[in-house]
Amino acid sequence: MDTDFSKLARRRSWLHRMAWACAALMLATITLSAYMRLSQAGLGCIDWPACYAQGLRAAQAGVGLTSTDGVALARLAHRVVASATLVLVVVMVMSALMTKPVLKRPGAYAAALLGVAVALALLGIATPGTRLPIVAIGNLLGGFAMLALCVRMAASARPPPSSGTPPESRLGAWGLAALALLCAQLGGGALVSASYAALSCSGLSDCTLAAAASGWDWQALSPWREPVFATGAVPIHREAALALWLHLAGAIVMLPLLVWAGLAAWRHGRRRGGAVLLVLLAAQAVLGLTIVAQAMPLASVLLHNLLGALLLATLARLV
């Protein structure tokens, strides 16, 4: 009996480590994907801001642009990391569900990971070269979902605490609501990027004026519409200002809710997680305020994307 218990503890420990390794691979995948997407959108290009969305304009004109060496290298690295992630997910599914005794909760997370990975692969096969925002949004949210599932699996596969150790408290329904709103905010950021709304207005007040001037046209948020614009003068693609307005307004709504989540975690004894959440939130808020003022530098926008992923991972660990 002791031997069986020891084997089970070792298996849970290995699953715990593999889940964290999977989370690290997903962070790398998300960062590489963001670099490719943002570089091809024109962030960091030489003739800024006139070169913004040059790839989209060239494609709509039937002219192909060659990828830079950096994008080509990132694409190769992305394929290697994504393939390694898929192999690791399959190993976790086999370890959790195909070895007795079955570990139901970690196995459910592993199966969900495999399902999302397969869905992302099918999305890539079914939509090669498409310029619809829904594809970029689907890829981004799929990657973030896999990251959150890895973190939750790591928590569920951790060997049980010794007797007398109180179980970790959770944030409850409000924590789940904060997680859902954070996912919506991440999706809104993907829409801003995929619809080329980053330079449609500057700041919340300007975006409000631009959205009002267009009659608050909610059709502008449709992810099934390919962006169409030709001007290279700032502001670029003014019609997409509503997407950026929603993202900025969403950040204002999210800020107090995530502050509450961090403080609640601290009060319930999960001080490390609460402190990490608050530090990440402060860094994200400062970075978000400076990105527009710095004319959307590629490195800052990539860091903004990475901090969003870390916020999601931390909150998913706490709920």
Side-chain angles (χ1 to χ4, degrees), residues 281-297:
L281 183 60
Q284 186 73 308
V286 172
L287 187 63
L289 291 173
T290 58
I291 280 178
V292 176
Q294 294 175 345
M296 306 291 292

Side-chain angles (χ1 to χ4, degrees), residues 185-258:
Q185 181 69 359
L186 293 171
L191 179 62
V192 169
S193 174
S195 62
Y196 296 89
L199 296 183
S200 59
C201 51
S202 57
L204 187 61
S205 59
D206 184 41
C207 290
T208 303
L209 293 174
S214 63
W216 298 95
D217 183 12
W218 296 97
Q219 289 298 318
L221 301 178
S222 174
W224 286 273
R225 291 173 50 177
E226 181 178 321
V228 178
F229 53 99
T231 178
V234 177
I236 296 174
H237 198 24
R238 192 75 165 172
E239 295 79 6
L242 182 57
L244 185 53
W245 181 87
L246 280 175
H247 189 59
L248 295 174
I252 295 173
V253 173
M254 282 297 307
L255 182 63
L257 189 55
L258 290 184

